[in-house]
């Protein structure tokens, strides 16, 4: 007979596990992973230039005003550099610290929405070990900070911190969210506020909506404390770019990430692995069928449904745009998985299958012919990291009589966590060998110190400025301008990106640095000119 957990479970333990796991895996990545282009290197180059300019108002990238993102992440990095100096580890810890804040706010939301239901406490276990959330806790990006602002606003609507000041907290969430990633925060905050009568199960007075409007306007007024001085300094073109064009282009006609409206639908089960499959399998087993929607369930529906539908309609789509909805998804999954069996044969089979994924992936890359082009990514993988997620289910089987009284979500979280951590550890050698931007940046730094001109052929996105601590912008030239540039600066150097599928230049004197499946060739200008002119001349002569 299968056992299910029906008792109480102290909510502190899931939160402690989630915090320790989040910070531990983040520290591993800080110590072993390189910064990844183009986003991480670009954002740190923006902050580096703000540091050089002593300018906290207007971000710059490679000498030009940067209008793609508001400044909160940049401010947090600068504040840390004021304390610790210009170090790489501080910016990389910020997403993990934001994830910890999001976990605490998720645990609080679970407690106030379902005060008598122990299942909701499992949300932090589930959220921490969702594959996409886990990956983002180690990347210098904006989305986890935005999630903190969204969760602060949700908590304010349900039960304000300290029991009062609901609309002050909501205004703070609006202002912080806009300063983190723009007006998109309103997409997550306004629907549950407007649908309050439905999820609260009672009517609200007109004062509710009046205070909502005032809080929203107050939050936007906080943004003006930065926006007006920044526009005064940088000009109206900057204000129009960051205030309107940047957001409008993503909504109406995105060029960089344009996707069909249904694009998110098949991705949701994938990015919430392994819990999407886990909850589905136990739901089919009939272990937990809620009788109906209670106040908390209705709140989740009001928070997720309109936001997800709108994200589907927006032209620009990226998977990480969904991250602010992950805590709500974790709460929903927790309420449907907590009472699942703790020791069924199917459960053990699922754990073993999950734990075997890293080994299966490694073997496939090594020996399946169609995956041969990925083989170099499997070099240097330590077998111990492939065995760890298999050994954890085996250990759980040996001690199964000791933890049968625990909820089934707990051992599942252990297996999921060990699998994710093993993937991070196993990926370390491949990332170190495939992303050599640090070595390239140090070489460009030496060229800058020697006052030798350097130019990047093609679009440059700040990959080297922070890594090389460069004090001057890298000149960006088009491929058509390269020959004229090399002729005018025969002592200079050219940085030429080489995409995957194109041959690495086999020319003596050219320095090669791997970047993903391609790389960057560092050419002496004279050598580049001689080689390319000879190639063009030879090509014409062959006709």
């Amino acid at each position: 007979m299968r056992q299910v957990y029906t008792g109480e479970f102290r909510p502190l333990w899931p939160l402690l596990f989630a915090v320790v796991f989040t910070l531990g895996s983040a520290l591993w990545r800080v110590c072993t992973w390189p910064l990844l282009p183009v986003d991480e290197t670009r954002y740190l180059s923006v902050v580096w230039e703000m540091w050089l300019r002593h300018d906290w108002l207007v971000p710059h990238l490679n000498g030009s005003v940067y209008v793609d993102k508001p400044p909160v992440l940049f401010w947090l990095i600068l504040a840390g550099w004021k304390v610790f100096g210009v170090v790489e580890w501080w910016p990389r810890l910020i997403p993990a610290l934001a994830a910890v804040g999001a976990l605490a706010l998720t645990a609080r939301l679970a407690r106030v929405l379902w005060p008598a239901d122990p299942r909701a406490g499992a949300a932090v276990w589930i959220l921490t070990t969702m594959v996409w959330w886990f990956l983002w806790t180690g990347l210098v990006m904006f989305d986890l900070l935005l999630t903190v602002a969204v969760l602060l606003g949700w908590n304010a609507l349900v039960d304000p911190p300290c029991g009062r000041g609901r609309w002050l907290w909501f205004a703070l969430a609006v202002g912080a969210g806009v300063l983190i990633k723009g007006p998109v925060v309103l997409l997550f905050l306004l629907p549950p506020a407007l649908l309050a009568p439905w999820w609260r199960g009672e009517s609200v007075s007109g004062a509710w909506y009046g205070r909502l409007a005032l809080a929203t306007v107050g939050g936007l007024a906080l943004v003006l404390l930065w926006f007006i001085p920044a526009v005064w300094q940088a000009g109206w073109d900057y204000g129009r770019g960051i205030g309107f064009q940047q957001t409008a282009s993503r909504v109406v006609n995105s060029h960089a990430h344009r996707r069909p409206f249904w694009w998110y639908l098949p991705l949701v089960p994938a990015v919430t692995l392994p819990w999407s499959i886990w909850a589905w399998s136990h739901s089919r087993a009939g272990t937990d069928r809620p009788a109906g929607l209670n106040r908390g369930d209705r709140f989740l529906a009001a928070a997720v449904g309109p936001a997800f539908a709108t994200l589907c309609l927006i032209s620009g789509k990226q998977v990480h745009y969904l991250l602010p909805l992950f805590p709500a998804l974790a709460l929903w999954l927790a309420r449907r998985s907590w009472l699942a069996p703790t020791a069924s044969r199917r459960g053990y089979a699922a754990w073993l299958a999950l734990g075997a994924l890293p080994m299966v992936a490694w073997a496939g890359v090594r020996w399946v012919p169609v995956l041969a082009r990925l083989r170099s990514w499997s070099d240097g993988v330590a077998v111990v990291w492939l065995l760890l997620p298999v050994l954890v289910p085996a250990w759980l089987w040996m001690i199964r009589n000791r933890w049968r009284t625990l909820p089934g979500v707990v051992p599942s979280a252990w297996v999921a966590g060990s699998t994710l951590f093993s993937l991070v550890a196993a990926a370390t050698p491949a990332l170190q060998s495939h992303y050599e931007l640090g070595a390239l940046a140090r070489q460009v730094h030496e060229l800058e110190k020697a006052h030798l001109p350097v130019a990047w052929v093609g679009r440059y996105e700040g990959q080297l400025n922070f890594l090389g601590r460069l004090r001057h912008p890298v000149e960006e030239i088009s491929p058509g301008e390269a020959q004229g540039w090399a002729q005018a600066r025969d002592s200079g150097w050219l940085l030429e990106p080489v995409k995957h599928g194109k041959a690495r230049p086999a020319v003596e004197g050219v320095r090669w640095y791997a970047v993903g499946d391609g790389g960057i060739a560092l050419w002496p200008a004279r050598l580049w000119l001689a080689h390319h002119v000879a190639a063009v001349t030879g090509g014409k002569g062959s006709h």
Side-chain angles (χ1 to χ4, degrees):
M1 178 178 177
R2 296 184 299 180
Q3 298 182 4
V4 297
Y5 179 77
T6 57
E8 294 183 357
F9 192 72
R10 295 182 180 180
L12 181 61
W13 291 110
L15 183 58
L16 285 177
F17 163 84
V19 169
V20 171
F21 179 73
T22 297
L23 294 179
S25 60
L27 286 172
W28 175 279
R29 282 182 273 190
V30 167
C31 294
T32 62
W33 279 26
L35 285 171
L36 300 178
V38 291
D39 290 325
E40 288 194 293
T41 51
R42 176 175 55 217
Y43 298 146
L44 285 184
S45 290
V46 170
V47 186
W48 169 244
E49 192 152 345
M50 294 174 75
W51 176 268
L52 290 178
R53 291 170 175 266
H54 306 286
D55 184 359
W56 288 55
L57 275 180
V58 181
H60 285 74
L61 176 63
N62 203 45
S64 301
V65 172
Y66 183 70
V67 301
D68 280 359
K69 293 292 187 293
V72 160
L73 175 61
F74 307 145
W75 287 345
L76 291 174
I77 296 172
L78 286 170
W81 283 355
K82 284 287 186 181
V83 177
F84 307 115
V86 179
V87 291
E88 186 178 310
W89 60 264
W90 166 246
R92 303 181 72 180
L93 274 184
I94 289 176
L97 295 175
V100 169
L103 291 171
L105 288 170
T106 301
R108 184 184 185 278
L109 192 62
R111 189 172 66 251
V112 299
L113 285 176
W114 299 281
D117 191 340
R119 294 178 295 179
V124 292
W125 298 80
I126 293 173
L127 181 61
T128 303
T129 51
M130 279 184 182
V131 60
W132 209 253
W133 178 273
F134 173 77
L135 290 176
W136 242 248
T137 58
L139 298 177
V140 185
M141 300 284 280
F142 298 80
D143 303 275
L144 293 184
L145 287 171
L146 177 65
T147 304
V148 171
V150 170
L151 284 166
L152 179 61
W154 287 355
N155 273 272
L157 290 173
V158 174
D159 181 37
C162 307
R164 58 183 178 179
R166 167 180 283 118
W167 300 113
L168 289 176
W169 288 110
F170 190 85
L172 179 61
V174 170
V178 174
L179 284 171
I180 290 167
K181 207 177 177 182
V184 67
V185 69
L186 299 176
L187 181 65
F188 303 103
L189 294 181
L190 290 183
L194 294 171
L195 295 173
W198 178 63
W199 60 262
R200 287 165 63 100
E202 59 186 20
S203 61
V204 297
S205 66
W208 171 279
Y209 293 107
R211 290 167 182 164
L212 169 62
L214 287 175
T216 304
V217 172
L220 296 176
L222 292 175
V223 179
L224 294 179
L225 296 177
W226 159 75
F227 184 76
I228 292 175
V231 173
W232 183 271
Q233 176 179 313
W236 179 241
D237 285 343
Y238 173 70
R240 185 171 61 249
I242 196 163
F244 305 104
Q245 292 177 348
Q246 191 266 350
T247 300
S249 65
R250 280 178 167 81
V251 172
V252 178
N253 189 22
S254 175
H255 297 288
H257 311 298
R258 191 171 188 176
R259 324 274 192 195
F261 75 92
W262 49 263
W263 189 75
Y264 284 128
L265 297 176
L267 290 177
V268 171
V271 297
T272 55
L273 286 171
W275 298 102
S276 52
I277 293 179
W278 196 88
W280 170 80
S281 65
H282 289 298
S283 174
R284 285 176 60 85
T287 58
D288 181 27
R289 296 183 184 276
L293 294 179
N294 57 30
R295 175 174 177 263
D297 296 326
R298 291 194 299 270
F299 176 83
L300 295 184
V304 173
F308 182 76
T310 307
L311 287 170
C312 288
L313 295 175
I314 289 174
S315 173
K317 296 179 179 66
Q318 290 279 70
V319 177
H320 55 266
Y321 295 172
L322 297 176
L323 280 174
L325 299 178
F326 273 43
L329 294 175
L331 287 166
W332 183 84
L333 288 168
R335 296 222 341 117
R336 283 148 184 81
S337 61
W338 184 265
L339 299 181
T342 59
S344 66
R345 290 183 179 275
R346 184 172 59 180
Y348 283 117
W351 293 344
L352 285 172
L354 176 63
L357 277 178
M359 181 71 76
V360 171
W362 178 81
V365 169
R366 298 299 296 180
W367 293 304
V368 175
V370 73
L371 300 176
R373 73 180 187 88
L374 301 176
R375 195 159 295 160
S376 63
W377 290 85
S378 65
D379 295 336
V381 173
V383 177
V384 64
W385 299 122
L386 303 177
L387 292 176
L388 174 64
V390 179
L391 295 176
V392 170
W395 172 70
L396 290 173
W397 172 262
M398 288 187 291
I399 65 168
R400 61 190 179 278
N401 291 327
R402 298 184 182 181
W403 55 261
R404 283 181 183 272
T405 57
L406 288 178
V409 72
V410 174
S412 298
W414 294 345
V415 176
S418 65
T419 301
L420 291 171
F421 184 81
S422 70
L423 287 172
V424 164
T428 298
L431 292 173
Q432 291 174 342
S433 62
H434 281 74
Y435 290 96
E436 299 177 321
L437 280 176
L440 172 59
R442 290 188 291 272
Q443 182 60 53
V444 174
H445 175 80
E446 294 302 319
L447 296 175
E448 183 185 72
K449 284 176 60 178
H451 304 290
L452 296 173
V454 178
W456 182 284
V457 181
R459 183 180 179 184
Y460 178 65
E461 300 196 54
Q463 292 94 321
L464 306 177
N465 297 59
F466 169 75
L467 287 174
R469 307 298 194 271
L470 306 182
R471 294 189 169 269
H472 303 285
V474 174
E475 187 175 355
E476 179 182 322
I477 60 176
S478 68
E481 298 170 325
Q483 182 172 339
W485 189 94
Q487 289 172 338
R489 302 166 182 82
D490 59 357
S491 63
W493 293 75
L494 285 167
L495 293 158
E496 187 175 44
V498 178
K499 295 182 179 180
H500 171 69
K502 293 188 177 181
R504 169 179 172 175
V507 180
E508 186 177 354
V510 177
R511 303 176 187 180
W512 175 258
Y513 300 89
V515 180
D517 288 325
I520 298 173
L522 180 61
W523 291 80
R526 293 177 181 175
L527 186 58
W528 185 94
L529 193 61
H531 177 76
H532 284 73
V533 169
V536 171
T537 304
K540 289 181 179 179
S542 64
H543 289 288

